[in-house]
Amino acid sequence: MKINHIGYAVSKINKAIERFQALGFKTETEVIEDKDRNVNICFMSNGAYRIELVSVLDTDKKSPIDSYLRSVGDMPYHICYECKDIYMEIDNLMEQKFKVVSKPTEAVAFDKRKVAFLMANNTGLIELVEV
Ligand code: NI
């Protein structure tokens, strides 16, 4: 499966953008507010490599990256793979012992395309995006 991006949990998105710019990454998007997931998102790329910086939008509310920031701090925490049919791909992966962490929902940062998160013992967290 083609990799779409590597997701980083970051505590301060604007600082993280500066740091990754120093490493040669360029921003592809503005900072996008995803109120459904309570996160800010910014995509950056460096040649063929694409990263997604994710920070908490409202710190008074729960967000999907709280545990990563609390336990380790800023860190890469998922790899996103592209698929054609997200429901079919989830079925395939479940046969390979993956468990669904969050079911397919539309994502603001992906022009409302569907994303889902899954996990297996030997892979950590993965994301699927329908393209
Ligand atoms: Ni992602």
Side-chain angles (χ1 to χ4, degrees):
M1 295 166 80
K2 191 185 171 203
I3 292 175
N4 183 276
H5 65 263
I6 296 170
Y8 275 80
V10 300
S11 49
K12 296 189 176 84
I13 200 158
N14 288 318
K15 287 282 174 207
I17 289 170
E18 281 180 37
R19 297 287 174 270
F20 280 101
Q21 280 172 336
L23 294 170
F25 283 85
K26 292 188 170 65
T27 52
E28 286 184 0
T29 61
E30 301 288 306
V31 175
I32 302 157
E33 290 188 357
D34 185 337
K35 294 200 172 80
D36 298 333
R37 292 177 177 76
N38 191 30
V39 291
N40 294 302
I41 288 171
C42 182
F43 286 101
M44 299 183 82
S45 58
N46 182 351
Y49 293 92
R50 191 154 183 257
I51 59 173
E52 173 194 43
L53 304 179
V54 183
S55 72
V56 180
L57 178 58
D58 180 352
T59 50
D60 290 333
K61 295 178 188 158
K62 276 191 178 174
S63 96
I65 56 169
D66 291 339
S67 61
Y68 300 104
L69 292 176
R70 209 178 318 117
S71 61
V72 181
D74 294 25
M75 62 178 285
Y77 76 105
H78 72 263
I79 294 183
C80 178
Y81 296 87
E82 297 181 354
C83 63
K84 286 236 158 55
D85 181 333
I86 201 163
Y87 295 100
M88 207 171 82
E89 201 54 56
I90 287 172
D91 282 347
N92 290 341
L93 289 171
M94 282 174 74
E95 281 176 21
Q96 303 296 322
K97 309 268 189 222
F98 280 80
K99 292 194 168 69
V100 177
V101 176
S102 73
K103 289 178 184 161
T105 49
E106 292 175 351
V108 173
F110 279 105
D111 301 321
K112 300 266 179 116
R113 281 178 286 158
K114 289 194 179 73
V115 304
F117 285 87
L118 294 91
M119 199 138 168
N121 278 345
N122 310 99
T123 64
L125 186 66
I126 70 155
E127 179 180 22
L128 295 178
V129 61
E130 217 169 41
V131 293

